[in-house]
Amino acid sequence: MHPISAIIVAKDNPPHIIETIESIKDFVKEIIVADIGIDSVLKKKLSSYPSLRLIDLQKQISYVELIREELKEQAKESWVLFLDPDEVLTNELKQELSKNMQNCDYF
């Protein structure tokens, strides 16, 4: 597991968010999901992941980048990985990230 905080912004019931989380749960130490209006069924599913923090954002923010910047301040790990709720990390990408983390300060 790597010192990475993954940040995902979610609204409604994104159809692939569980696949996204499954693809990173053993790769990152922390998963932060910004709740900007997800449904209660999904909230219940997300609560089963011990490394996941669900942060309820009640305010209206017009751009996802602003939400990500706000959540970056709450990340506990030294690396931050921004993902959309439909992105899945392949094993090849995880290997590439692991390799680059050892050689770079950021990428």
Side-chain angles (χ1 to χ4, degrees), residues 35-79:
D35 172 7
I36 59 170
I38 59 178
D39 68 32
S40 59
V41 174
L42 180 56
K43 283 184 186 183
K44 186 170 178 73
K45 287 180 186 176
L46 294 178
S47 69
S48 69
Y49 292 95
S51 63
L52 189 144
R53 279 195 295 148
L54 187 62
I55 298 177
D56 187 20
L57 294 177
Q58 294 296 321
K59 58 186 169 186
Q60 293 292 329
I61 300 176
S62 54
Y63 297 101
V64 70
E65 291 79 10
L66 297 173
I67 297 170
R68 289 175 173 169
E69 283 301 312
E70 184 175 320
L71 292 179
K72 186 170 71 172
E73 300 302 318
Q74 297 187 40
K76 295 178 181 175
E77 300 303 324
S78 53
W79 289 84

Side-chain angles (χ1 to χ4, degrees), residues 19 97 107:
E19 293 170 66
L97 290 171
F107 59 97

